[in-house]
Amino acid sequence: MASNKYDVVLLDIEGTTTPISFVHDVLFPYVTNNVKQFFESRWDDPSVQTHVRALAEQAAADIAAGTNPCVAINLDDNAEDVQRQVLENIELQMRADRKVGALKALQGYMWRFGYERGELQGVVFTDAVDAVRMWTRAGRRVFIYSSGSVEAQKLIFGFSDHGNLLEYVEGHYDTRVGAKVDDTSYTAIVRDIGVCPDRVLFVSDSIRELQAADKAGLQTILSVRPGNAPVGEHTFSTSSDFTQIPL
């Protein structure tokens, strides 16, 4: 458990506040099952074209870097061919579970439509909801750091099965601040929040993320949830009920 007093709680989402199954069995399939019709019905929308250009730029960068598998997107081709290339590109990237910004931005854009139409609802563990309320009442500041885009984070908490929880979250960070397994990412977050590293408690289901946060000087707790991957031997404190984490 947290060994010292802390002023800030930094939370991961997948496998921490939210079941892994929600992301992999609900959110990701929503994109793969709807993206073709989504593009066909909104292809000329300027916002959609912005995402298409971003995907094309990422594809070009992947080709230049020799990333495999990869599908080139030639924006000079006719609309039908470009759509086909974009769909193939998205399918390959999602199959590889890539965390690139262009893909995540498109996913978040599509998910917003799903949430607003009532087709999607964020899932947050009850103890996590009770804990963020507890922390807020006690004067602790709560932030989110997830590999999912800030947009996607806000949708999960804004359209959750416990109502709109965004009032309890002061800020959000995604991989634009840096990789979650890189200690400099946590240093950057702490600097942005304006606190000392040892006054921040980071909770995640990933040993590598906890190791990076620990290296940056943060306090750490391993989230233990149903469906999380086995982690093997480790020395981190654990929690399966965040309301039991001492203030």
Side-chain angles (χ1 to χ4, degrees), residues 9-13 17 132 142-146 148 150 153-154 157 166 169-174 180 189 202:
V9 182
L10 183 64
L11 296 169
D12 170 50
I13 291 182
T17 66
V132 296
V142 178
F143 293 81
I144 302 294
Y145 179 30
S146 172
V150 167
Q153 297 173 29
K154 291 181 176 180
F157 283 86
L166 290 176
V169 181
E170 186 171 331
H172 300 258
Y173 298 93
D174 57 23
K180 295 188 72 182
I189 289 173
F202 177 56

Side-chain angles (χ1 to χ4, degrees), residues 10-225:
L10 183 64
L11 296 169
D12 170 50
I13 291 182
E14 186 180 338
T16 300
T17 66
T18 297
I20 286 179
S21 59
F22 174 69
V23 177
H24 290 274
D25 298 341
V26 178
L27 290 184
F28 288 170
Y30 181 85
V31 173
T32 55
N33 292 338
N34 292 282
V35 66
K36 185 175 187 294
Q37 190 275 334
F38 188 86
F39 277 139
E40 288 175 348
S41 63
R42 297 178 176 83
W43 185 252
D44 294 326
D45 185 315
S47 296
V48 169
Q49 286 303 306
T50 297
H51 288 288
V52 169
R53 286 192 295 273
L55 289 165
E57 291 171 3
Q58 180 65 56
D62 289 342
I63 291 171
T67 303
N68 287 306
C70 182
V71 175
I73 300 173
N74 186 352
L75 297 179
D76 293 328
D77 287 350
N78 62 63
E80 182 178 345
D81 286 342
V82 175
Q83 284 188 37
R84 176 183 53 77
Q85 294 161 13
V86 170
L87 290 171
E88 290 177 2
N89 185 282
I90 291 170
E91 180 182 0
L92 282 175
Q93 290 200 63
M94 292 192 65
R95 190 182 302 157
D97 195 23
R98 296 194 69 198
K99 309 294 186 183
V100 293
L103 176 63
K104 289 190 169 296
L106 173 67
Q107 290 170 332
Y109 184 71
M110 287 187 61
W111 288 331
R112 173 166 288 281
F113 280 90
Y115 282 108
E116 291 178 342
R117 292 180 175 185
E119 298 169 350
L120 293 172
Q121 183 178 54
V123 177
V124 183
F125 289 114
T126 299
D127 68 278
V129 175
D130 293 340
V132 296
R133 289 171 174 159
M134 173 188 74
W135 286 319
T136 301
R137 287 195 302 268
R140 305 299 190 271
R141 304 164 65 191
V142 178
F143 293 81
I144 302 294
Y145 179 30
S146 172
S147 58
S149 68
V150 167
E151 167 79 354
Q153 297 173 29
K154 291 181 176 180
L155 290 171
I156 289 176
F157 283 86
F159 293 88
S160 88
D161 51 354
H162 294 271
N164 188 342
L165 302 173
L166 290 176
E167 65 177 294
Y168 303 106
V169 181
E170 186 171 331
H172 300 258
Y173 298 93
D174 57 23
T175 51
R176 287 176 296 182
V177 78
K180 295 188 72 182
V181 295
D182 189 341
D183 62 284
T184 60
S185 302
Y186 299 89
T187 300
I189 289 173
V190 168
R191 184 184 303 118
D192 187 62
I193 294 173
V195 293
C196 295
D198 63 357
R199 303 297 294 184
V200 179
L201 172 64
F202 177 56
V203 187
S204 171
D205 66 314
S206 167
I207 292 293
R208 292 185 64 199
E209 292 174 10
L210 294 176
Q211 290 171 335
D214 179 69
K215 184 176 180 181
L218 283 68
Q219 299 185 57
T220 54
I221 288 181
L222 175 68
S223 171
V224 178
R225 299 293 195 183

